[in-house]
Amino acid sequence: MIDIIRNRRLSASGLNSRKLLLSTRNVLLGKEADKGLIFRLFMYLILVDTAFIYIKPIIYMATTMVKDAGNLLDPAVIWVPRSLFWGHLQEAFRLLKYPSGFTISMTVSLSVAVLQVVSCAIAGYAFARLDFPLKKFWFVCLIFTFVMPPQVTILPSILLFKQLGWINTYLPMIIPGIFGHGLKGALFVIIFRQFFSTLPKELEEAAKIDGASVFRVFFRVMLPISTSAIIVVFLFSFVWNWNDFYYPSMYMFGAKEVPLSISLSRLAAAMSAEAEQSGPSIFAEPIKMAASFLIIMPVLVVYTFAQRWFVEGVERTGLVE
């Protein structure tokens, strides 16, 4: 009798230990591959490391631009300064000629973004819904312009705009946007084509039954429901044109009033020349960091307010597929 009770206790304890082991295994590894604690810790570790890689330069820039001479010369001060000094921001504001540079950058970026949204939406709708001669051939040409580096076509473009008298103005960066060209224009046409291809054809058929023309179908039916694609293209175009240095440096190399990207390059060149003549200065790096902050600040503000719509737009347009 005692042996039977002992065996039952041993079997019960063995069963409890197996249940405990199974529950521990489910917690650590999970019933599915992506549900366990170890997998989640691993994913969080990757996300934190990746976020730190992108955030570290911004933190370094923000902390460096507010350091005074004492903090810059103190080897113990690396990240957090003992006091805040705003003189570098004021100096960078003056050297960049920020009001005029900001006006030009904002004018070019907004103009090109709006023009590319309209023109690329029309082209994307045509490739997605309309039938026209050599449709596949023209789409292959569109892909070819997307993969072609801009250095291939920059010289003929400069010669053309020089004949038109547009050199040292921002017309060479704005006018091509009317025709769906400009910076990354082919990519925006592809985004709109992908979006319009996913919409049901019943919407167009119902509008055509009511007697709507192709243009009315596009502007009254298809374009109003493509808000997600419009937001993605607008933000991409605005940010890329705001940060672009190559095209402004090619078309506005002799202009006095230039976008902020060119002003930052000229500021860095002037400081390098001054360092060669009179030696390096401890204030050169903080001023450069302050100038960089002033340039990226508008983009950060735009992304802060448009983040939710941007993420939703990327998911709906199929850009991540």
Side-chain angles (χ1 to χ4, degrees):
M1 188 68 180
I2 297 175
D3 293 338
I4 294 175
I5 295 174
R6 185 182 299 172
N7 292 333
R8 288 180 178 178
R9 289 179 178 178
L10 290 175
S11 61
S13 62
L15 182 61
N16 291 333
S17 62
R18 284 195 296 271
K19 288 182 178 179
L20 180 61
L21 181 62
L22 182 60
S23 62
T24 305
R25 178 180 177 277
N26 290 335
V27 170
L28 294 178
L29 300 179
K31 294 181 180 180
E32 298 179 6
D34 58 344
K35 301 298 183 180
L37 179 62
I38 295 178
F39 179 82
R40 292 182 179 179
L41 290 176
F42 179 72
M43 290 300 299
Y44 282 129
L45 179 63
I46 294 178
L47 291 175
V48 170
D49 290 341
T50 305
F52 180 74
I53 292 174
Y54 287 97
I55 294 176
K56 180 183 177 181
I58 299 177
I59 297 176
Y60 178 80
M61 175 184 61
T63 56
T64 302
M65 70 180 185
V66 294
K67 291 180 180 178
D68 56 10
N71 289 313
L72 292 171
L73 295 174
D74 190 351
V77 177
I78 299 177
W79 290 104
V80 181
R82 293 190 175 92
S83 61
L84 300 180
F85 178 69
W86 306 106
H88 302 311
L89 280 170
Q90 297 174 358
E91 184 67 13
F93 189 91
R94 183 185 65 84
L95 293 175
L96 286 175
K97 299 178 181 179
Y98 196 78
S100 62
F102 177 85
T103 303
I104 294 175
S105 295
M106 186 62 67
T107 301
V108 173
S109 301
L110 281 178
S111 302
V112 176
V114 172
L115 292 173
Q116 284 187 326
V117 164
V118 177
S119 58
C120 294
I122 295 174
Y125 176 75
F127 279 114
R129 295 300 201 187
L130 304 182
D131 293 325
F132 52 89
L134 302 176
K135 178 179 177 179
K136 294 183 178 179
F137 170 76
W138 294 120
F139 187 72
V140 171
C141 293
L142 176 70
I143 299 295
F144 182 71
T145 60
F146 173 63
V147 300
M148 181 184 299
Q151 291 80 4
V152 176
T153 59
I154 190 63
L155 183 58
S157 299
I158 292 176
L159 295 177
L160 172 63
F161 294 136
K162 184 178 181 180
Q163 292 178 353
L164 296 175
W166 292 356
I167 295 297
N168 293 327
T169 67
Y170 36 84
L171 291 178
M173 293 170 285
I174 295 179
I175 299 302
I178 300 176
F179 308 100
H181 194 54
L183 188 62
K184 308 293 183 181
L187 175 62
F188 302 147
V189 174
I190 296 172
I191 292 176
F192 275 113
R193 175 185 177 273
Q194 175 68 19
F195 176 80
F196 287 127
S197 298
T198 60
L199 296 179
K201 293 184 178 181
E202 288 78 7
L203 297 173
E204 297 169 280
E205 293 174 354
K208 291 179 181 179
I209 291 175
D210 293 337
S213 62
V214 175
F215 289 98
R216 189 173 183 181
V217 170
F218 173 73
F219 286 105
R220 300 295 296 273
V221 179
M222 305 301 287
L223 192 62
I225 63 176
S226 59
T227 307
S228 57
I230 290 174
I231 292 174
V232 170
V233 170
F234 179 84
L235 289 178
F236 273 145
S237 178
F238 178 83
V239 173
W240 283 339
N241 281 281
W242 181 276
N243 295 329
D244 183 38
F245 170 79
Y246 183 73
Y247 283 125
S249 65
M250 293 292 104
Y251 298 139
M252 304 181 67
F253 52 86
K256 294 182 178 179
E257 303 295 331
V258 293
L260 289 175
S261 58
I262 304 299
S263 299
L264 179 61
S265 176
R266 293 180 178 180
L267 172 63
M271 287 190 168
S272 299
E274 183 179 354
E276 292 179 358
Q277 294 179 357
S278 57
S281 172
I282 61 172
F283 299 114
E285 185 176 7
I287 292 176
K288 292 179 182 179
M289 295 295 104
S292 301
F293 175 79
L294 290 174
I295 292 177
I296 69 172
M297 181 178 60
V299 178
L300 293 177
V301 172
V302 170
Y303 181 74
T304 300
F305 287 100
Q307 178 182 4
R308 180 170 64 89
W309 296 282
F310 176 74
V311 174
E312 292 179 359
V314 170
E315 293 176 352
R316 293 181 180 180
T317 53
L319 194 62
V320 295
E321 295 180 357

